[in-house]
Amino acid sequence: MPDIVASKKVPEGVVVMWGEGSSIKSENFNYQDLIDQKVNVLDLLDRPIAYKIDPKLHKISPKY
């Protein structure tokens, strides 16, 4: 699972970005997705590097 390198608040939720090879990929998560996964949205926005993503499963989890 790649590490998240940045996150950004958007009207419909949060966009998270991660590195894949030499490119940056991104995926949108709505607030309900994050709540269902028990992800602290404010922490994800403040400290995105503390999280990793599984883009195939559309899942975010803390590193530690």
Side-chain angles (χ1 to χ4, degrees):
M1 287 180 26
D3 295 341
I4 294 174
V5 297
S7 61
K8 180 181 174 184
K9 183 179 175 185
V10 293
E12 56 277 344
V14 177
V15 175
V16 297
M17 292 152 263
W18 68 94
E20 209 171 273
S22 61
S23 64
I24 299 291
K25 303 280 184 168
S26 67
E27 190 164 339
N28 293 334
F29 285 83
N30 66 42
Y31 293 115
Q32 191 61 52
D33 287 341
L34 297 170
I35 291 167
D36 291 346
Q37 294 180 45
K38 297 181 175 35
V39 173
N40 182 323
V41 175
L42 292 176
D43 193 46
L44 176 61
L45 291 168
D46 288 341
R47 299 179 325 121
I49 60 171
Y51 293 85
K52 53 190 176 179
I53 184 170
D54 186 337
K56 292 179 183 172
L57 297 177
H58 192 71
K59 182 164 174 61
I60 293 177
S61 59
K63 282 187 192 177
Y64 313 107

